[in-house]
Amino acid sequence: MIHLETRRLVLRDYTPEDEEEYYQLKSDEGAMGRYQQDIMMHSREESDREFAGVLADGKKPDRTFYFLRVEEKGTGRQLGSVGYTVAERLPVGKLVHAGYFYFPACWGQGFGTEAMKEVIRFAFEEDGVYRVSTGCLAENKGSERIMQKCGMIKEAERPGWTWHEGQMKTRLEYRLLREEYEWMRGRSQK
């Protein structure tokens, strides 16, 4: 079971007791409706099926779903979710797609950056990840700032890439390789 801590946060695997709060987050119009419509839950049944899969995957030795509940240290209040999905396993390590989503009341307080930095550390230092990639719509400046503050490198700007809110929009892609992470970590320790 994964349990990580930062100065203000606890990031941990979901447990059966989190089922209701998982549904509340994944069905929240503010957290999911604007930029995460493709993974938003629209019914309790849909959420319950997904949550059962999350719990089952977390028990596997070769799990693929590493999204963690983000909660406020001390209060246990759920703020959002952060993590990654394993896309491929290669001899050099795992290639993963990362992401995050938070209740709007938590935006702009640095929680997303704090949590993502810890997930990146865990991925490279404890989980054998070689490449972390993620992205967002170009208009989602808050999400892009999280990627930048975590030291991720912009790989692509894809105009007319994603259908969103009735029109084609630009998607930005970011990445971080293990050697890039290690170089950044080495610089920060000097």
Side-chain angles (χ1 to χ4, degrees):
M1 180 139 186
I2 299 171
H3 182 100
L4 308 171
E5 294 191 22
T6 67
R7 185 176 63 82
R8 301 180 296 165
L9 306 171
V10 172
L11 295 84
R12 64 169 177 80
D13 276 323
Y14 287 96
T15 66
E17 295 76 30
D18 298 321
E19 186 172 28
E20 174 61 28
E21 289 187 307
Y22 184 85
Y23 170 69
Q24 294 302 321
L25 176 64
K26 290 292 297 258
S27 65
D28 185 81
E29 187 63 38
M32 308 302 294
R34 177 83 171 128
Y35 296 114
Q36 304 288 342
Q37 297 165 354
D38 57 328
I39 61 171
M40 183 176 177
M41 298 290 107
H42 300 284
S43 72
R44 170 58 123 213
E45 295 74 28
E46 182 184 20
S47 179
D48 289 350
R49 277 192 305 276
E50 181 177 280
F51 189 71
V54 167
L55 294 179
D57 188 71
K59 295 177 183 175
K60 294 178 185 176
D62 61 342
R63 71 190 279 182
T64 58
F65 189 79
Y66 286 82
F67 273 81
L68 307 172
R69 174 187 162 102
V70 178
E71 60 186 45
E72 193 171 41
K73 199 182 267 187
T75 68
R77 177 176 66 112
Q78 177 184 228
L79 306 177
S81 186
V82 63
Y84 54 84
T85 303
V86 178
E88 204 170 343
R89 287 177 168 82
L90 299 173
V92 293
K94 298 173 186 173
L95 307 183
V96 303
H97 296 294
Y100 38 82
F101 41 95
Y102 295 88
F103 288 111
C106 303
W107 295 352
Q109 299 175 53
F111 294 130
T113 301
E114 187 174 332
M116 188 63 178
K117 281 182 177 179
E118 180 59 14
V119 164
I120 289 171
R121 184 208 62 76
F122 170 80
F124 290 123
E125 295 182 20
E126 297 183 42
D127 196 38
V129 169
Y130 176 73
R131 177 191 171 100
V132 174
S133 61
T134 190
C136 67
L137 292 178
E139 68 190 52
N140 191 349
K141 298 299 182 192
S143 184
E144 185 179 19
R145 280 300 294 146
I146 290 172
M147 295 174 218
Q148 292 166 342
K149 288 179 180 179
C150 289
M152 299 188 83
I153 298 162
K154 186 175 181 180
E155 259 188 336
E157 184 168 324
R158 303 180 188 281
W161 187 258
T162 302
W163 181 257
H164 184 258
E165 297 179 330
Q167 60 183 315
M168 295 302 292
K169 294 188 177 178
T170 299
R171 179 166 173 83
L172 307 176
E173 300 287 339
Y174 279 75
R175 68 125 206 290
L176 194 60
L177 303 178
R178 182 185 301 132
E179 56 264 26
E180 294 164 341
Y181 169 79
E182 290 170 353
W183 180 82
M184 279 187 336
R185 191 181 72 188
R187 283 192 57 190
S188 69
Q189 292 176 351
K190 289 182 180 179

